[in-house]
Amino acid sequence: GHQIGDELLRLVAGRLSEEIRPGDTVARLGGDQFVVLAHGCDASEAAALAFRLQTVFALPFRVGEITVPLSASIGVAVARPEVRDAHHLLSDADAAMFAAKSSGRDRVHLFSPSLREAARWRLEVATRLRDEAIDQLVVYYQPVVRLDTGAVEGVEALVRWQHPERGLIGPDTFLSVAEETGQIIPITRWLLRETTRRAAAWAAEGLPLRMSVNISARHFSAETLVRDVRLALRESGLAPEQLVLELTETSVAEDPTRAEDQLTVLRRAGVRIAIDDFGTGWSSLAQLFSLPIGTLKIDRSLLVAAEQVTGGEGGAVLAAIVALTRTLGIRSVAEGVETVEHLRMVREAGCDLVQGWLIGHPMPADELPGWLRRVQAAGGDACALAATRTPVTTAP
Ligand code: C2E
Ligand code: CA
Ligand code: CA
């Protein structure tokens, strides 16, 4: 509640004030952002101050009966002869703080000029995405294939931005900004509509494909996921069984109860749930497997790690994960399969499904039917077809 929040802010301000030198200033900029203005510091003194301020958060804060652990992301910027303007200095500090935040919580980050470029880009993305850019989003589709028969089971929808000046931009460069500004919710809502409509149209053409859509953690806290999914299904007429929602383990772990409630409702409605990027987070397996999960997507990093271990031990790790999911009745997808050797490894490990550049790159919607027909013409086994091709290991 507000009262506790206000009291916490006062406590933080109090502790920060104790760490600064006489004559320096602590102020709150708004929300949970504070600024510390220190006179006559060079970069290394400013960094030392930042690390000292970080220790302020070592002990949890106590408000009445409640103990609250807090951490801080700290950005440091230093005035230079060419940066004397207060607004510049603040925006540099802000860019550094953003970099600290994105490299994980509880970090200190020093400003560098390249961060200013990044900050400019973020601002542009934030502004543009708000106004006209949803019309400029395009969805690429990457095939997901069964390992036993090589049959194409479905596709994963991957968003790109057809930027008027910069060309086609990958999701990693703009989705983090969209998450921050909350734009990710309308974007995902649009994506759900677009992809379910697309899948329904393909099914009507005799190409029934299961459609996987990535869902961000923000969507759980907004509590509109269930409604947005239902609406998209109703409008498109797509069977709920043909829709898979991909969630990362970290997004689920952020608020497991809330995630479980919403996922249970969706699962009851027939929608399938997949855990994305498995192996990159540190979630509790017990917690993860208490969710109504149908599929586990094994991150490419596990594949790469397995490949680097000599003597076949790496394959054993993959096989153990797959065996675990199988015991729980969960299907596994090997992500990022780029080479014939990868394909062999994941097949030996017993994975159910496979996805990666070896099988097929993400492609625009109008190229997919042609790709599928080529697979059909070659006997319907996309794995066998891929194994005969020279692998392309760069992004299109
Ligand atoms: P992801 O969900 O793990 O998606 C798989 C990413 O791996 C895609 O990158 C895909 O192009 C890439 N990939 C596929 N096969 C291979 C391969 O063989 N080798 C390598 N090295 N990479 C491969 P992309 O499209 O750049 O997407 C990056 C991430 O952006 C996605 O990771 C997902 O987390 C996020 N994303 C993409 N579209 C959406 C979306 O519509 N909504 C949300 N919330 N996130 C999205
Ligand atoms: Ca995914
Ligand atoms: Ca993934």
Tab-separated table of all heavy atoms in Angstrom, residues 13 16-17 19-29 33-42 45-47 49-50 52-53 74-80 83-91 93:
chain	number	residue	atom	x	y	z
A	13	ALA	N	15.802	7.317	1.526
A	13	ALA	CA	16.378	8.669	1.484
A	13	ALA	C	17.257	8.914	2.716
A	13	ALA	O	18.363	9.465	2.602
A	13	ALA	CB	15.267	9.712	1.410
A	16	LEU	N	20.537	6.972	2.392
A	16	LEU	CA	21.397	7.575	1.366
A	16	LEU	C	22.050	8.843	1.914
A	16	LEU	O	23.246	9.073	1.728
A	16	LEU	CB	20.599	7.909	0.100
A	16	LEU	CG	20.113	6.737	-0.747
A	16	LEU	CD1	19.210	7.224	-1.883
A	16	LEU	CD2	21.297	5.939	-1.333
A	17	SER	N	21.258	9.641	2.607
A	17	SER	CA	21.784	10.913	3.128
A	17	SER	C	22.943	10.686	4.096
A	17	SER	O	23.849	11.506	4.185
A	17	SER	CB	20.690	11.685	3.848
A	17	SER	OG	19.575	11.812	3.020
A	19	GLU	N	25.242	8.543	3.819
A	19	GLU	CA	26.472	8.123	3.137
A	19	GLU	C	27.172	9.256	2.387
A	19	GLU	O	28.297	9.097	1.962
A	19	GLU	CB	26.172	6.996	2.141
A	19	GLU	CG	25.786	5.678	2.782
A	19	GLU	CD	26.876	5.124	3.695
A	19	GLU	OE1	28.074	5.274	3.373
A	19	GLU	OE2	26.527	4.563	4.754
A	20	ILE	N	26.474	10.332	2.148
A	20	ILE	CA	27.082	11.386	1.313
A	20	ILE	C	27.879	12.371	2.161
A	20	ILE	O	27.752	12.404	3.386
A	20	ILE	CB	26.015	12.136	0.489
A	20	ILE	CG1	25.019	12.814	1.420
A	20	ILE	CG2	25.335	11.201	-0.484
A	20	ILE	CD1	24.162	13.842	0.721
A	21	ARG	N	28.718	13.176	1.474
A	21	ARG	CA	29.539	14.157	2.183
A	21	ARG	C	28.721	15.422	2.436
A	21	ARG	O	27.752	15.684	1.702
A	21	ARG	CB	30.765	14.513	1.323
A	21	ARG	CG	31.599	13.324	0.912
A	21	ARG	CD	32.564	13.688	-0.193
A	21	ARG	NE	31.871	14.323	-1.324
A	21	ARG	CZ	32.479	14.823	-2.380
A	21	ARG	NH1	33.788	14.787	-2.478
A	21	ARG	NH2	31.785	15.371	-3.369
A	22	PRO	N	29.121	16.201	3.406
A	22	PRO	CA	28.408	17.457	3.626
A	22	PRO	C	28.472	18.300	2.341
A	22	PRO	O	29.515	18.334	1.678
A	22	PRO	CB	29.191	18.144	4.749
A	22	PRO	CG	30.099	17.107	5.325
A	22	PRO	CD	30.266	16.019	4.330
A	23	GLY	N	27.413	18.922	1.999
A	23	GLY	CA	27.407	19.764	0.796
A	23	GLY	C	26.869	19.036	-0.430
A	23	GLY	O	26.475	19.665	-1.405
A	24	ASP	N	26.898	17.692	-0.421
A	24	ASP	CA	26.309	16.947	-1.536
A	24	ASP	C	24.797	16.825	-1.319
A	24	ASP	O	24.303	17.079	-0.226
A	24	ASP	CB	26.953	15.562	-1.653
A	24	ASP	CG	28.419	15.674	-2.094
A	24	ASP	OD1	28.812	16.778	-2.515
A	24	ASP	OD2	29.141	14.668	-1.995
A	25	THR	N	24.103	16.381	-2.380
A	25	THR	CA	22.640	16.410	-2.316
A	25	THR	C	22.031	15.053	-2.651
A	25	THR	O	22.489	14.387	-3.569
A	25	THR	CB	22.095	17.424	-3.353
A	25	THR	OG1	22.796	18.650	-3.185
A	25	THR	CG2	20.610	17.634	-3.198
A	26	VAL	N	21.012	14.662	-1.907
A	26	VAL	CA	20.191	13.502	-2.269
A	26	VAL	C	18.803	14.020	-2.591
A	26	VAL	O	18.248	14.810	-1.834
A	26	VAL	CB	20.071	12.498	-1.104
A	26	VAL	CG1	19.081	11.388	-1.475
A	26	VAL	CG2	21.407	11.892	-0.766
A	27	ALA	N	18.245	13.594	-3.713
A	27	ALA	CA	16.885	14.013	-4.043
A	27	ALA	C	16.136	12.858	-4.668
A	27	ALA	O	16.750	11.926	-5.195
A	27	ALA	CB	16.932	15.191	-5.012
A	28	ARG	N	14.816	12.908	-4.583
A	28	ARG	CA	14.037	11.887	-5.275
A	28	ARG	C	13.496	12.504	-6.558
A	28	ARG	O	12.927	13.587	-6.535
A	28	ARG	CB	12.886	11.432	-4.385
A	28	ARG	CG	12.090	10.333	-5.009
A	28	ARG	CD	11.176	9.681	-3.990
A	28	ARG	NE	9.983	9.203	-4.651
A	28	ARG	CZ	8.775	9.741	-4.494
A	28	ARG	NH1	8.598	10.769	-3.688
A	28	ARG	NH2	7.742	9.252	-5.148
A	29	LEU	N	13.722	11.788	-7.681
A	29	LEU	CA	13.288	12.315	-8.971
A	29	LEU	C	11.816	12.015	-9.222
A	29	LEU	O	11.145	12.708	-9.961
A	29	LEU	CB	14.107	11.677	-10.106
A	29	LEU	CG	15.486	12.230	-10.361
A	29	LEU	CD1	16.116	11.489	-11.522
A	29	LEU	CD2	15.436	13.719	-10.664
A	33	GLN	N	13.009	6.489	-8.112
A	33	GLN	CA	14.307	6.961	-8.601
A	33	GLN	C	14.849	8.089	-7.740
A	33	GLN	O	14.168	9.072	-7.492
A	33	GLN	CB	14.166	7.469	-10.035
A	33	GLN	CG	14.018	6.344	-11.035
A	33	GLN	CD	14.169	6.847	-12.462
A	33	GLN	OE1	14.569	7.981	-12.697
A	33	GLN	NE2	13.825	5.995	-13.413
A	34	PHE	N	16.091	7.903	-7.347
A	34	PHE	CA	16.767	8.940	-6.571
A	34	PHE	C	17.966	9.444	-7.361
A	34	PHE	O	18.523	8.728	-8.196
A	34	PHE	CB	17.278	8.372	-5.247
A	34	PHE	CG	16.189	8.108	-4.249
A	34	PHE	CD1	15.473	6.922	-4.276
A	34	PHE	CD2	15.871	9.054	-3.277
A	34	PHE	CE1	14.461	6.675	-3.360
A	34	PHE	CE2	14.866	8.819	-2.356
A	34	PHE	CZ	14.156	7.627	-2.392
A	35	VAL	N	18.365	10.675	-7.080
A	35	VAL	CA	19.582	11.199	-7.680
A	35	VAL	C	20.472	11.740	-6.570
A	35	VAL	O	19.986	12.317	-5.600
A	35	VAL	CB	19.271	12.258	-8.770
A	35	VAL	CG1	18.617	13.487	-8.179
A	35	VAL	CG2	20.528	12.639	-9.527
A	36	VAL	N	21.762	11.461	-6.704
A	36	VAL	CA	22.737	11.983	-5.746
A	36	VAL	C	23.680	12.899	-6.524
A	36	VAL	O	24.268	12.481	-7.524
A	36	VAL	CB	23.541	10.838	-5.086
A	36	VAL	CG1	24.671	11.414	-4.226
A	36	VAL	CG2	22.624	9.971	-4.243
A	37	LEU	N	23.776	14.132	-6.090
A	37	LEU	CA	24.654	15.100	-6.747
A	37	LEU	C	25.874	15.316	-5.864
A	37	LEU	O	25.746	15.771	-4.725
A	37	LEU	CB	23.904	16.413	-6.957
A	37	LEU	CG	24.683	17.513	-7.687
A	37	LEU	CD1	24.946	17.107	-9.128
A	37	LEU	CD2	23.898	18.830	-7.636
A	38	ALA	N	27.044	14.941	-6.398
A	38	ALA	CA	28.267	15.065	-5.599
A	38	ALA	C	29.214	16.035	-6.306
A	38	ALA	O	29.534	15.849	-7.480
A	38	ALA	CB	28.918	13.696	-5.434
A	39	HIS	N	29.664	17.048	-5.589
A	39	HIS	CA	30.543	18.062	-6.178
A	39	HIS	C	31.985	17.603	-6.149
A	39	HIS	O	32.392	16.867	-5.252
A	39	HIS	CB	30.442	19.373	-5.384
A	39	HIS	CG	29.106	20.009	-5.513
A	39	HIS	ND1	28.738	20.772	-6.594
A	39	HIS	CD2	28.025	19.969	-4.700
A	39	HIS	CE1	27.503	21.182	-6.427
A	39	HIS	NE2	27.044	20.709	-5.286
A	40	GLY	N	32.764	18.082	-7.109
A	40	GLY	CA	34.210	17.884	-7.092
A	40	GLY	C	34.647	16.422	-7.031
A	40	GLY	O	35.544	16.065	-6.281
A	41	CYS	N	33.999	15.581	-7.822
A	41	CYS	CA	34.357	14.152	-7.889
A	41	CYS	C	34.914	13.862	-9.277
A	41	CYS	O	34.344	14.326	-10.259
A	41	CYS	CB	33.103	13.296	-7.795
A	41	CYS	SG	32.595	12.832	-6.172
A	42	ASP	N	35.959	13.051	-9.386
A	42	ASP	CA	36.277	12.540	-10.717
A	42	ASP	C	35.585	11.189	-10.877
A	42	ASP	O	34.876	10.732	-9.966
A	42	ASP	CB	37.797	12.452	-10.928
A	42	ASP	CG	38.451	11.480	-9.966
A	42	ASP	OD1	37.710	10.692	-9.331
A	42	ASP	OD2	39.689	11.503	-9.842
A	45	GLU	N	36.244	8.566	-8.108
A	45	GLU	CA	35.611	8.914	-6.820
A	45	GLU	C	34.093	8.730	-6.883
A	45	GLU	O	33.463	8.269	-5.927
A	45	GLU	CB	35.948	10.365	-6.446
A	45	GLU	CG	37.380	10.539	-5.942
A	45	GLU	CD	37.864	11.988	-6.020
A	45	GLU	OE1	37.216	12.815	-6.699
A	45	GLU	OE2	38.887	12.281	-5.407
A	46	ALA	N	33.530	9.090	-8.049
A	46	ALA	CA	32.080	8.931	-8.212
A	46	ALA	C	31.698	7.456	-8.152
A	46	ALA	O	30.697	7.082	-7.537
A	46	ALA	CB	31.629	9.543	-9.529
A	47	ALA	N	32.547	6.603	-8.775
A	47	ALA	CA	32.262	5.166	-8.757
A	47	ALA	C	32.366	4.632	-7.329
A	47	ALA	O	31.532	3.833	-6.885
A	47	ALA	CB	33.225	4.432	-9.680
A	49	LEU	N	31.810	6.254	-4.628
A	49	LEU	CA	30.601	6.700	-3.937
A	49	LEU	C	29.423	5.777	-4.275
A	49	LEU	O	28.661	5.372	-3.404
A	49	LEU	CB	30.280	8.144	-4.332
A	49	LEU	CG	28.947	8.697	-3.821
A	49	LEU	CD1	28.926	8.725	-2.292
A	49	LEU	CD2	28.695	10.100	-4.369
A	50	ALA	N	29.317	5.420	-5.575
A	50	ALA	CA	28.214	4.561	-6.000
A	50	ALA	C	28.263	3.211	-5.275
A	50	ALA	O	27.240	2.707	-4.813
A	50	ALA	CB	28.261	4.361	-7.507
A	52	ARG	N	29.622	2.656	-2.427
A	52	ARG	CA	29.285	2.880	-1.018
A	52	ARG	C	27.762	2.980	-0.869
A	52	ARG	O	27.167	2.428	0.048
A	52	ARG	CB	29.961	4.156	-0.535
A	52	ARG	CG	30.097	4.198	0.972
A	52	ARG	CD	31.132	5.215	1.404
A	52	ARG	NE	30.650	6.577	1.265
A	52	ARG	CZ	31.265	7.532	0.568
A	52	ARG	NH1	32.395	7.272	-0.055
A	52	ARG	NH2	30.761	8.745	0.507
A	53	LEU	N	27.126	3.678	-1.804
A	53	LEU	CA	25.671	3.821	-1.741
A	53	LEU	C	24.973	2.474	-1.902
A	53	LEU	O	23.905	2.241	-1.351
A	53	LEU	CB	25.184	4.800	-2.819
A	53	LEU	CG	25.596	6.256	-2.593
A	53	LEU	CD1	25.224	7.111	-3.797
A	53	LEU	CD2	24.959	6.822	-1.325
A	74	ILE	N	22.433	1.370	-10.060
A	74	ILE	CA	23.023	2.712	-9.973
A	74	ILE	C	23.759	3.054	-11.258
A	74	ILE	O	24.589	2.295	-11.746
A	74	ILE	CB	24.002	2.799	-8.773
A	74	ILE	CG1	23.288	2.362	-7.484
A	74	ILE	CG2	24.554	4.222	-8.639
A	74	ILE	CD1	24.143	2.418	-6.228
A	75	GLY	N	23.446	4.215	-11.820
A	75	GLY	CA	24.145	4.732	-12.993
A	75	GLY	C	24.971	5.937	-12.574
A	75	GLY	O	24.506	6.776	-11.818
A	76	VAL	N	26.216	5.997	-13.072
A	76	VAL	CA	27.115	7.083	-12.693
A	76	VAL	C	27.499	7.892	-13.932
A	76	VAL	O	27.954	7.334	-14.929
A	76	VAL	CB	28.406	6.525	-12.050
A	76	VAL	CG1	29.311	7.668	-11.591
A	76	VAL	CG2	28.077	5.607	-10.888
A	77	ALA	N	27.329	9.204	-13.869
A	77	ALA	CA	27.804	10.076	-14.946
A	77	ALA	C	28.570	11.226	-14.317
A	77	ALA	O	28.230	11.684	-13.231
A	77	ALA	CB	26.629	10.606	-15.754
A	78	VAL	N	29.634	11.651	-15.001
A	78	VAL	CA	30.492	12.700	-14.458
A	78	VAL	C	30.484	13.888	-15.416
A	78	VAL	O	30.577	13.702	-16.635
A	78	VAL	CB	31.935	12.163	-14.287
A	78	VAL	CG1	32.829	13.229	-13.669
A	78	VAL	CG2	31.925	10.913	-13.426
A	79	ALA	N	30.371	15.100	-14.854
A	79	ALA	CA	30.402	16.296	-15.692
A	79	ALA	C	31.790	16.434	-16.298
A	79	ALA	O	32.797	16.193	-15.629
A	79	ALA	CB	30.075	17.529	-14.862
A	80	ARG	N	31.838	16.762	-17.593
A	80	ARG	CA	33.114	16.999	-18.256
A	80	ARG	C	33.037	18.375	-18.884
A	80	ARG	O	31.932	18.933	-18.987
A	80	ARG	CB	33.326	15.933	-19.347
A	80	ARG	CG	33.783	14.584	-18.800
A	80	ARG	CD	33.503	13.480	-19.787
A	80	ARG	NE	32.071	13.245	-19.920
A	80	ARG	CZ	31.458	13.067	-21.065
A	80	ARG	NH1	32.120	13.092	-22.187
A	80	ARG	NH2	30.155	12.864	-21.106
A	83	VAL	N	30.279	18.520	-21.130
A	83	VAL	CA	28.955	18.266	-20.547
A	83	VAL	C	28.802	19.101	-19.282
A	83	VAL	O	29.106	18.643	-18.175
A	83	VAL	CB	28.757	16.766	-20.183
A	83	VAL	CG1	27.319	16.487	-19.779
A	83	VAL	CG2	29.164	15.867	-21.323
A	84	ARG	N	28.353	20.302	-19.415
A	84	ARG	CA	28.178	21.162	-18.253
A	84	ARG	C	26.701	21.369	-17.970
A	84	ARG	O	26.331	21.871	-16.928
A	84	ARG	CB	28.827	22.532	-18.508
A	84	ARG	CG	30.317	22.475	-18.786
A	84	ARG	CD	31.033	23.489	-17.935
A	84	ARG	NE	31.313	22.932	-16.604
A	84	ARG	CZ	32.540	22.672	-16.190
A	84	ARG	NH1	33.579	22.920	-16.935
A	84	ARG	NH2	32.723	22.174	-14.978
A	85	ASP	N	25.907	20.940	-18.943
A	85	ASP	CA	24.483	21.173	-18.831
A	85	ASP	C	23.854	20.152	-17.890
A	85	ASP	O	24.089	18.953	-18.005
A	85	ASP	CB	23.902	21.035	-20.250
A	85	ASP	CG	22.413	21.248	-20.263
A	85	ASP	OD1	21.997	22.346	-19.892
A	85	ASP	OD2	21.691	20.293	-20.623
A	86	ALA	N	23.036	20.626	-16.943
A	86	ALA	CA	22.459	19.737	-15.932
A	86	ALA	C	21.587	18.649	-16.566
A	86	ALA	O	21.618	17.495	-16.145
A	86	ALA	CB	21.645	20.556	-14.938
A	87	HIS	N	20.839	19.030	-17.589
A	87	HIS	CA	19.958	18.047	-18.220
A	87	HIS	C	20.760	16.936	-18.892
A	87	HIS	O	20.390	15.772	-18.819
A	87	HIS	CB	19.056	18.731	-19.251
A	87	HIS	CG	18.040	19.612	-18.618
A	87	HIS	ND1	16.976	19.108	-17.907
A	87	HIS	CD2	17.951	20.951	-18.546
A	87	HIS	CE1	16.257	20.105	-17.434
A	87	HIS	NE2	16.826	21.246	-17.801
A	88	HIS	N	21.866	17.330	-19.537
A	88	HIS	CA	22.750	16.344	-20.146
A	88	HIS	C	23.264	15.352	-19.129
A	88	HIS	O	23.251	14.144	-19.320
A	88	HIS	CB	23.970	17.056	-20.770
A	88	HIS	CG	23.791	17.291	-22.216
A	88	HIS	ND1	24.569	18.158	-22.936
A	88	HIS	CD2	22.913	16.749	-23.090
A	88	HIS	CE1	24.174	18.157	-24.182
A	88	HIS	NE2	23.172	17.314	-24.308
A	89	LEU	N	23.728	15.922	-18.027
A	89	LEU	CA	24.328	15.093	-16.983
A	89	LEU	C	23.290	14.110	-16.433
A	89	LEU	O	23.566	12.921	-16.274
A	89	LEU	CB	24.866	16.005	-15.875
A	89	LEU	CG	25.724	15.330	-14.815
A	89	LEU	CD1	26.913	14.623	-15.454
A	89	LEU	CD2	26.218	16.374	-13.804
A	90	LEU	N	22.088	14.614	-16.201
A	90	LEU	CA	21.020	13.749	-15.697
A	90	LEU	C	20.670	12.673	-16.715
A	90	LEU	O	20.464	11.511	-16.341
A	90	LEU	CB	19.765	14.574	-15.423
A	90	LEU	CG	19.509	14.976	-13.978
A	90	LEU	CD1	18.190	15.730	-13.898
A	90	LEU	CD2	19.474	13.763	-13.059
A	91	SER	N	20.621	13.039	-17.990
A	91	SER	CA	20.212	12.028	-18.968
A	91	SER	C	21.328	10.996	-19.167
A	91	SER	O	21.054	9.823	-19.413
A	91	SER	CB	19.723	12.681	-20.265
A	91	SER	OG	20.753	12.736	-21.206
A	93	ALA	N	23.301	10.027	-16.692
A	93	ALA	CA	23.167	9.167	-15.507
A	93	ALA	C	22.010	8.192	-15.698
A	93	ALA	O	22.092	7.021	-15.322
A	93	ALA	CB	22.950	10.029	-14.258
